[in-house]
Amino acid sequence: MNSTASTTFKTAPIDGQVPGTSGLRKKVAVFSEPGYLETYTQATFNAIEPAGKTLVLGGDGRYFNRPAMATILRMAAANQVARVIVGQNGILSTPAASHLIRKRNADGGLILSASHNPGGPDGDFGLKYNIANGGPAPEAVTDAIVACAQDIDAYHITDAAAPSLSECGEATLGNMVVEVVDPVADYASLMEELFDFNAIRKMIADGFTLRFDAMHAVTGPYATEILERRLGAPTGSVVNGNPSEDFGGGHPDPNPVWAKELFDHLHGPDAPDFGAASDGDGDRNMIVGNGIYVAPSDSLAVLAANAHLAPGYAQGIAGVARSMPTSAASDRVAEKLGVEAFQTPTGWKFFGNLLDAGRATLCGEESAGTGSDHVREKDGLWAVLLWLNILAVRGEGVAQILKEHWQTYGRDYYSRHDYEGLDSKSANHLMSELKSRLSTLPGQSAAGLTLTGSEDFAYTDPIDGSLTTGQGVILAYEGGARAMLRLSGTGTEGATLRVYLEQYVDPTGDLTRDAQEALSKVITATSQFAGIQDLLGRTAPDVIS
Ligand code: G16
């Protein structure tokens, strides 16, 4: 028996903050206050009772990952965890962690990341618990963690130092086994099973060019292995591929604003055929063709319509799920395919039951997340590879595929307007005020548009019957336009109001307009109905994507 002494310390108050859509996210300065990480970790352990269990542990390599990982390992040992499977150097992308939990039949996993939020000493850190199916903990589990966090007075930690994570192999910490694994190998093999690597390899050998921007974040090693080594893209096709603790000082969120360099390159004179980017922890993606940006909602629809071209989905898909603020483009594909379409609240955890039950095969969100039943997280590189597989089989470019898609299904013009750094009180007031007026809105007009419906979105899970309420306001306008308003659950400074806007145009309409222009009436009407200027004092959003 190789036991090590443990000490029990008093916990620190963690300000009652509940885990949001993706676990607990806070500034590094908060997470590194004495006892803070320990308290939240112990609350998680108290909720999941980890004695004798196997857990996966990994993170996106951001600042504070290393000391946090050592602390969590020492606490896991003191809480009688049997085995922790951890990525070499503590690295695991979120989808790779999800895969590892599933592949190794682990009881769950802890992911250290604040996703697309900036890193570094002044940036953000986060801790999220995933359950045995590989997906984010559902609300029953996060509620239990919150309850434990409010009723906790001690945490347990082994006195011994955590082992080095720099070499693959096994070590022990007390009675616990620490197994260090290659973070990329299993994930890359899974991708080879799902996609036609020969077809993609041939397309690249025949001169197809691509650029993948890893944004100095976790997907660098994954993309280099898969795109350059296994698929033969020339060295240098992966840019910003060395993960750094502060993501090169950037904001690792793959959208036209934060991945501007890639976006501009794909719209410039030397544009390659295909461009893509992923975020801090590798679950988000951005797809750009030569001269054309693919909105995430459209990407989900195109992938659903063409998934059967990849070996992993050759039998067809069972259904498509999207979050409420994601455009209805994928619903149109599901209808044509004769499969189910689901509209869930924001947050990948709401897809878990549908995926487990085999009701949905593909899922996606406007926030640049797409994925399938291969894991229980969204998966940035997976989306890139499915796109490449489709391009290789169809022998057409991104622009042509998108154009043909709109000609078949019509186009859901879409945009998201973010009002950032708001005073939380004002933002909450705007939402509650709007909710209080919902029943009076239908029939009213603004900017020449009449509202036909309004609701505060609630969702009953079709598998377990659980009800989730208050998930954002939907305003439906005449003529196929919709606006959705909700407060972000992932920010760490003040509040962010997200206004999602869409306008459907059928295949006979003008499919080539600028999105902001096509949405101008919905934008003005929504702003008036919500009282954005009056209640927030803002005349324009901070970020338009
Ligand atoms: C997280 C969730 C996503 C969700 C997003 C919403 O993304 O995993 O499912 O769509 O939050 O963010 P917000 O509440 O800010 O609109 P990630 O990539 O941060 O884990």
Side-chain angles (χ1 to χ4, degrees):
M1 188 110 169
N2 176 18
S3 63
T4 304
S6 296
T7 308
T8 296
F9 290 98
K10 280 216 157 313
T11 50
I14 58 168
D15 74 9
Q17 175 79 34
V18 297
T21 36
S22 292
L24 188 65
R25 283 188 197 164
K26 289 280 176 188
K27 291 273 164 220
V28 166
V30 175
F31 247 112
S32 51
E33 279 166 18
Y36 191 96
L37 166 73
E38 292 85 343
T39 302
Y40 187 65
T41 303
Q42 187 65 51
T44 304
F45 284 157
N46 289 355
I48 66 169
E49 300 179 354
K53 292 185 175 169
T54 295
L55 298 177
V56 164
L57 177 66
D60 62 8
R62 67 177 58 225
Y63 185 81
F64 196 57
N65 258 21
R66 281 169 188 268
M69 210 158 278
T71 298
I72 291 170
L73 282 170
R74 291 172 59 214
M75 289 184 65
N79 280 275
Q80 318 296 327
V81 172
R83 175 180 289 261
V84 175
I85 305 167
V86 54
Q88 190 176 14
N89 293 315
I91 293 292
L92 279 177
S93 76
T94 292
S98 181
H99 178 51
L100 205 51
I101 294 170
R102 296 166 66 78
K103 187 175 162 128
R104 297 293 303 274
N105 291 318
D107 297 287
L110 289 159
I111 300 176
L112 281 60
S113 168
S115 188
H116 56 287
N117 293 15
D122 300 324
D124 292 347
F125 181 78
L127 178 57
K128 166 169 125 165
Y129 178 66
N130 280 27
I131 58 173
N133 75 352
E139 281 186 340
V141 178
T142 50
D143 287 351
I145 296 173
V146 173
C148 289
Q150 278 152 8
D151 182 26
I152 184 174
D153 52 18
Y155 69 88
H156 316 294
I157 187 159
T158 295
D159 297 342
S164 159
L165 305 177
S166 61
E167 301 292 334
C168 293
E170 286 192 1
T172 51
L173 181 58
N175 293 325
M176 184 177 86
V177 177
V178 179
E179 179 185 345
V180 180
V181 300
D182 181 328
V184 177
D186 288 330
Y187 176 83
S189 306
L190 175 66
M191 295 300 116
E192 286 216 48
E193 283 166 31
L194 294 175
F195 301 117
D196 189 344
F197 271 38
N198 285 334
I200 303 173
R201 213 178 280 121
K202 180 169 183 315
M203 173 175 75
I204 292 172
D206 288 347
F208 178 92
T209 51
L210 66 95
R211 174 176 287 202
F212 179 89
D213 190 340
M215 304 191 83
H216 302 281
V218 79
T219 44
Y222 294 85
T224 305
E225 172 64 25
I226 295 171
L227 300 175
E228 295 187 359
R229 293 204 197 99
R230 299 198 186 192
L231 291 170
T235 304
S237 300
V238 175
V239 298
N240 300 321
N242 290 324
S244 73
E245 287 198 328
D246 67 349
F247 307 120
H251 188 152
D253 194 1
N255 63 36
V257 176
W258 297 115
K260 190 173 184 313
E261 199 182 299
L262 178 79
F263 185 88
D264 289 348
H265 184 60
L266 267 290
H267 286 82
D270 304 319
D273 296 306
F274 181 81
S278 191
D279 70 330
D281 62 331
D283 57 3
R284 295 185 176 208
N285 73 89
M286 175 173 88
I287 305 293
V288 207
N290 185 333
I292 189 158
Y293 165 69
V294 185
S297 298
D298 279 341
S299 180
L300 173 64
V302 170
L303 295 182
N306 294 279
H308 62 282
L309 301 177
Y313 307 93
Q315 308 304 320
I317 55 174
V320 189
R322 64 167 173 84
S323 65
M324 178 274 276
T326 304
S327 92
S330 60
D331 298 4
R332 303 179 205 291
V333 176
E335 193 183 350
K336 190 150 192 240
L337 291 174
V339 300
E340 286 189 283
F342 300 93
Q343 177 175 248
T344 65
T346 293
W348 205 261
K349 63 188 172 194
F350 292 102
F351 296 136
N353 279 346
L354 296 169
L355 293 165
D356 283 350
R359 295 273 295 271
T361 308
L362 257 56
C363 305
E365 298 187 281
E366 53 67 40
S367 56
T370 3
S372 86
D373 56 2
H374 68 293
V375 290
R376 293 294 179 275
E377 287 278 3
K378 52 191 186 271
D379 188 344
L381 262 173
W382 169 91
V384 171
L385 291 165
L386 181 49
W387 262 99
L388 290 174
N389 194 143
I390 292 166
L391 294 168
V393 175
R394 286 185 54 166
E396 295 171 327
V398 175
Q400 197 179 347
I401 286 179
L402 206 51
K403 199 170 135 206
E404 286 175 21
H405 187 92
W406 293 334
Q407 283 166 350
T408 306
Y409 298 94
R411 179 171 179 186
D412 293 272
Y413 282 100
Y414 188 86
S415 183
R416 185 174 99 185
H417 289 194
D418 294 332
Y419 296 83
E420 297 183 336
L422 301 172
D423 163 53
S424 298
K425 230 170 129 190
S426 316
N428 284 320
H429 175 63
L430 179 139
M431 288 304 294
S432 56
E433 216 274 328
L434 178 60
K435 286 179 184 182
S436 73
R437 286 187 287 118
L438 282 183
S439 62
T440 66
L441 292 177
Q444 291 191 32
S445 303
L449 270 186
T450 303
L451 266 175
T452 54
S454 56
E455 66 174 287
D456 184 2
F457 182 60
Y459 175 69
T460 302
D461 186 298
I463 312 300
D464 66 16
S466 58
L467 174 70
T468 307
T469 57
Q471 294 299 301
V473 166
I474 305 177
L475 301 178
Y477 294 96
E478 61 182 345
R482 231 173 46 129
M484 289 71 71
L485 298 96
R486 60 178 278 280
L487 299 180
S488 160
T490 59
T492 57
E493 266 168 272
T496 295
L497 172 69
R498 301 207 193 285
V499 183
Y500 313 83
L501 306 136
E502 71 184 271
Q503 169 75 60
Y504 178 64
V505 173
D506 73 33
T508 61
D510 187 349
L511 304 171
T512 57
R513 294 174 75 186
D514 169 72
Q516 300 307 314
E517 190 219 333
L519 291 163
S520 62
K521 279 186 177 177
V522 197
I523 294 170
T524 312
T526 303
S527 173
Q528 283 182 23
F529 282 124
I532 290 178
Q533 190 167 352
D534 290 349
L535 299 178
L536 301 180
R538 298 283 180 97
T539 50
D542 299 284
V543 178
I544 294 179
S545 54

